[in-house]
Amino acid sequence: MPGRRHEALEATGTRALAAERLDRLSGGQRQRCWLAMVLAQQTPVVLLDEPTSALDLGHVIDVLSLVRTVAAAGRTVVIVLHDLASAARHAGTVIAMKDGRVIAQGAPRDIVDGPLVKELYAVHADILTAPGDAAPIVVPRAPGA
């Protein structure tokens, strides 16, 4: 178990926080520590609920990249994200839900479009294509635009 713990702390950048009490950490530090605890368990399925909340942009990218690595190593990863742009950029499959029902599912390039954003969030948006990986980029329109 010590090896798994060390690997999880390194992977999440929380090694320096290992001796700290969770209630004394910032929200972002706490999120990364919770992720380290989950990863150290080495379960075949990882369930994460908003693992990037309270994180700055750099840590969001680090966490989602780490999660992709975990999935590529053979573990099933299910993440709840309200940030459709991050989900579209990092997920292999997106399941969009509203009021407890699935309204769309599939590869982000196949399902993320203006009508989906409108149905999910009641917001008009333009969907652009990211250079490099062609991931959909959600750009909300200003009200009245």
Side-chain angles (χ1 to χ4, degrees):
M1 190 71 151
R4 290 181 185 166
R5 178 177 178 246
H6 177 75
E7 289 173 14
L9 291 170
E10 287 296 323
T12 57
T14 55
R15 184 177 170 157
L17 305 173
E20 300 293 327
R21 290 175 37 142
L22 278 175
D23 63 349
R24 295 198 177 161
L25 300 177
S26 72
Q29 290 171 324
R30 193 174 301 130
Q31 282 293 91
R32 291 179 14 241
C33 286
W34 284 118
L35 181 58
M37 286 187 260
V38 168
L39 295 178
Q41 295 173 22
Q42 292 289 312
T43 59
V45 177
V46 177
L47 304 174
L48 301 171
D49 185 11
E50 294 290 343
T52 57
S53 67
L55 297 182
D56 62 43
L57 183 58
H59 284 116
V60 168
I61 293 167
D62 289 345
V63 166
L64 294 176
S65 295
L66 173 60
V67 168
R68 285 185 67 93
T69 300
V70 168
R75 293 166 78 182
T76 299
V77 180
V78 178
I79 303 176
V80 174
L81 283 177
H82 288 92
D83 179 0
L84 184 58
S86 288
R89 171 54 60 91
H90 296 279
T93 300
V94 170
I95 299 172
M97 297 181 70
K98 182 171 182 174
D99 299 325
R101 64 181 178 83
V102 174
I103 59 172
Q105 65 182 11
R109 285 184 204 123
D110 297 337
I111 69 162
V112 176
D113 59 16
L116 177 66
V117 174
K118 177 70 172 151
E119 185 172 357
L120 286 173
Y121 304 111
V123 171
H124 292 283
D126 295 308
I127 310 302
L128 308 177
T129 302
D133 65 2
I137 300 172
V138 179
V139 182
R141 294 184 194 160

